Amino acid sequence: MLQILPLPGDGPPREAARPGRRPLYGVAVSRAIEQRAAATLPPHTLMQRAGMAVARLARAWQPHARRVGVIAGAGNNGGDGWYAAALLHRHLADVPGAAVCVWAPGGVQRLPADARWAYEAAVAAGVRTVDTPPDDAELLVDAVFGLGLARPVEGVWRDTLRWLHAQATPTLCVDLPSGLDADTGRWWVDAPVAPRGDRLTLSLLTLKPGLFTGMGRAAAGEAIWFDDLGVPADDAPTAWLQTTAAWPDGAALRRAHASHKGSRGDVLVIGGQSPGAGAGVGMGGAALLAGRAALRAGAGRVYVGLLAEARDLPPCDPVQPALMLRTAAAALGSELPQRAVVVAGCGGGDAIHAHLTDLLARCPRLVLDADALNALGPIAAPSASCPDVWRERHTRGWWTVLTPHPLEAARLLGTDVAQVQADRPGAARTLAKRLNATVVLKGSGSVTAAPGVTPIINGGGDGALATAGTGDVLAGLIGARLAALDATSPADTAAAVADAVAAHGDLVRHWTSPWPPTATDLIA
Ligand SMILES: NC(=O)C1=CN([C@@H]2O[C@H](COP(=O)(O)OP(=O)(O)OC[C@H]3O[C@@H](n4cnc5c(N)ncnc54)[C@H](O)[C@@H]3O)[C@@H](O)[C@H]2O)[C@@H](O)CC1
């Protein structure tokens, strides 16, 4: 669960440019904000505030913990830990059996100025330093690495993090879980990512993109808390965090008394290769899931063009009989591609390849998913020259949305999954720029990117979505959201796509059964 809340005593959250969004700041902007604030404040103020925030959350979260072990790194993240240790030591002074200790595996000889000041404050307060891991702690504070980590961790620090991240003891991570890259969500150390025990992360000064994508959510624990250290920032964000799903808005649809199905927008799904068309491989379910999701989310009319012969079409979809079924050939031969948002590729198999040029040439509003992305591969490869059909889309002001998972993104970028996952915001941005399209890179912390638009990272969803068919549901939701959209600037399109991604994440929020949901359950 995400708890992106200001701690008690902080000011109100800053205004976001659009409802349901919060700014995320990468390392460079966070450091600029820190330096600007530090220049106007008495020395060490920010570290003092950081240490106070850590101590305050530690006491609120684990009020009965008497033995606290702080693991301090050799930079200012460690400094936050030292100052928190000083405060916790004071808080616990009268508690029988209480003890606060700091383990600093890198020593304290080369601490930067702020951290040295915090270390001296801790020593002056009577905090004990130890040379071995604090095995008997009831609460651990992870103050090893924060913003300063951007390369692999080895040697003594790797051993330290292997020990720390293997503990079942409740652990409070200062600023970032140590091992996590603040910009990208990459995990830099060969140590467990997922906590064995309870874990919270307290992000300081700014919320960082890496906390919400890649390994960020898995590493951060049950909740991410935020304290801006009293420093308001209105800098241009590195990315936005989408925190809530404001769409679909069923109440608004009901208030629109004078509306009709034609005014809510049309969606055409092209996909669902039949066993006959695909050498015995049938994937009709994927196209039906996309169509059902679009219908469920409020699209006025949803057509499903199946990659099948007319004689193989089912008479209707028994789950959502309101879906209008036809063959892909019939759908693409009609006026529908011009009128509807076309969602192509769900269960498309090899059969979708034959339609790709037609789709690109005839669909002004096009969402390419799954097998349509694989068919696109050669067009998108770095070495490929842009074909006329793709260039003409741009000339005409038509737009394209791509929804790759990391493997599909890797194919499109001519790289591998590890490279994509090492910098998900960067991969999504590169792909969006290269193809002049809106891109949703799926996975933990889905990233929506478009040329000239600040990327949007989805803060919702969880591992329950990692199951067959949920991608088809997402494609259908994006189709429905875009079908209802009037404006078509890149920013509006990206925002609408991010709305659909947020709605998709929200599908699992209220799931209470111990059984994980199937994609069909999510839109039942
Ligand atoms: N200066 C200040 O007053 C403030 C600092 N803050 C804290 O300071 C942190 C940033 O401090 P720093 O810039 O010192 O960075 P860190 O403390 O995150 O890391 C820097 C230290 O880690 C070492 N290091 C980095 N990568 C390594 C690797 N792969 N293997 C081994 N050692 C590695 C560096 O040599 C350096 O000693 C923030 O995350 C935050 O916790 C905040 O509290 C805001 C105020």
Side-chain angles (χ1 to χ4, degrees):
M1 180 185 176
L2 284 178
Q3 225 155 349
I4 308 153
L5 303 172
L7 287 174
D10 290 337
R14 287 181 296 278
E15 287 286 315
R18 288 181 194 246
R21 286 194 193 169
R22 295 193 72 113
L24 301 174
Y25 295 108
V27 174
V29 188
S30 295
R31 289 205 189 279
I33 293 169
E34 181 196 314
Q35 280 162 17
R36 215 168 51 218
T40 64
L41 292 166
H44 317 306
T45 301
L46 289 178
M47 184 153 291
Q48 198 174 14
R49 290 181 185 171
M52 282 167 61
V54 172
R56 195 166 54 193
L57 184 56
R59 294 293 292 144
W61 182 41
Q62 297 291 330
H64 304 298
R66 289 170 309 151
R67 290 185 303 283
V68 180
V70 177
I71 325 301
N76 283 324
N77 192 253
D80 294 347
W82 282 106
Y83 199 73
L87 297 176
L88 288 167
H89 181 79
R90 254 179 242 143
H91 283 308
L92 293 167
D94 299 329
V95 178
V100 177
C101 68
V102 179
W103 179 38
V108 294
Q109 290 74 25
R110 292 164 57 189
L111 294 177
D114 281 327
R116 172 147 303 277
W117 168 84
Y119 160 71
E120 285 166 3
V123 171
V127 170
R128 206 161 50 93
T129 56
V130 292
D131 296 329
T132 51
D135 286 314
D136 67 343
E138 294 165 331
L139 169 67
L140 289 168
V141 176
D142 164 8
V144 181
F145 297 122
L147 282 182
L149 182 64
R151 59 186 162 92
V153 180
E154 277 149 14
V156 66
W157 290 113
R158 182 189 52 205
D159 296 343
T160 302
L161 295 187
R162 279 185 179 164
W163 177 84
L164 177 59
H165 293 325
Q167 302 308 302
T169 312
T171 301
L172 173 55
C173 303
V174 178
D175 205 15
L176 295 147
S178 294
L180 189 72
D181 188 296
D183 280 338
T184 62
R186 178 175 185 164
W187 190 245
W188 281 111
V189 60
D190 181 12
V193 179
R196 272 191 62 214
D198 295 339
R199 185 185 289 176
L200 295 187
T201 295
L202 172 58
S203 193
L204 297 166
L205 193 68
T206 57
L207 284 167
K208 290 90 185 164
L211 283 168
F212 300 99
T213 196
M215 291 298 159
R217 291 282 303 279
E222 300 94 82
I224 297 167
W225 289 75
F226 173 49
D227 191 310
D228 71 2
L229 305 183
V231 178
D234 54 9
D235 303 56
T238 312
W240 292 106
L241 176 70
Q242 184 87 34
T243 57
T244 55
W247 177 88
D249 185 347
L253 291 179
R254 293 180 68 178
R255 282 196 302 274
H257 292 275
S259 61
H260 54 86
K261 64 183 178 185
S263 57
R264 286 204 193 167
D266 297 336
V267 174
L268 166 62
V269 177
I270 299 287
Q273 170 182 273
S274 77
V281 179
M283 294 184 287
L288 291 178
L289 277 169
R292 290 173 193 170
L295 201 62
R296 209 76 183 78
R301 294 176 293 214
V302 181
Y303 306 82
V304 179
L306 291 166
L307 293 158
E309 297 296 328
R311 63 175 177 273
D312 296 332
L313 284 187
C316 74
D317 174 18
V319 176
Q320 288 288 3
L323 290 178
M324 291 175 270
L325 307 185
R326 55 206 61 200
T327 64
L332 290 172
S334 71
E335 90 301 352
L336 271 175
Q338 279 83 40
R339 173 156 59 84
V341 171
V342 178
V343 177
C346 312
D350 292 339
I352 196 77
H353 287 238
H355 297 283
L356 186 67
T357 306
D358 211 19
L359 286 163
L360 295 175
R362 300 200 51 232
C363 304
R365 300 181 294 162
L366 183 60
V367 180
L368 295 176
D369 185 43
D371 293 312
L373 295 170
N374 297 332
L376 195 64
I379 293 180
S383 56
S385 61
C386 192
D388 287 348
V389 65
W390 193 271
R391 205 172 308 117
E392 271 169 31
R393 294 185 65 76
H394 307 156
T395 316
R396 293 175 178 168
W398 292 5
W399 50 252
T400 320
V401 178
L402 312 181
T403 57
H405 58 51
L407 178 58
E408 289 159 349
R411 286 185 191 130
L412 291 168
L413 286 164
T415 179
D416 58 31
V417 172
Q419 289 299 315
V420 169
Q421 291 296 77
D423 182 1
R424 289 168 50 79
R429 270 199 315 265
T430 304
L431 201 51
K433 199 168 160 206
R434 188 175 291 167
L435 290 174
N436 200 3
T438 303
V439 170
V440 179
L441 176 58
K442 297 186 284 199
S444 180
S446 292
V447 183
T448 303
V453 176
T454 304
I456 306 156
I457 297 176
N458 187 39
D462 60 38
L465 286 169
T467 188
T470 55
D472 306 310
V473 169
L474 174 62
L477 294 181
I478 291 172
R481 179 67 188 93
L482 293 174
L485 187 70
D486 290 332
T488 52
S489 75
D492 287 336
T493 308
V497 169
D499 281 346
V501 176
H504 184 250
D506 232 33
L507 290 173
V508 290
R509 196 153 62 94
H510 303 294
W511 187 259
T512 50
S513 163
W515 292 80
T518 66
T520 311
D521 295 333
L522 292 175
I523 48 169

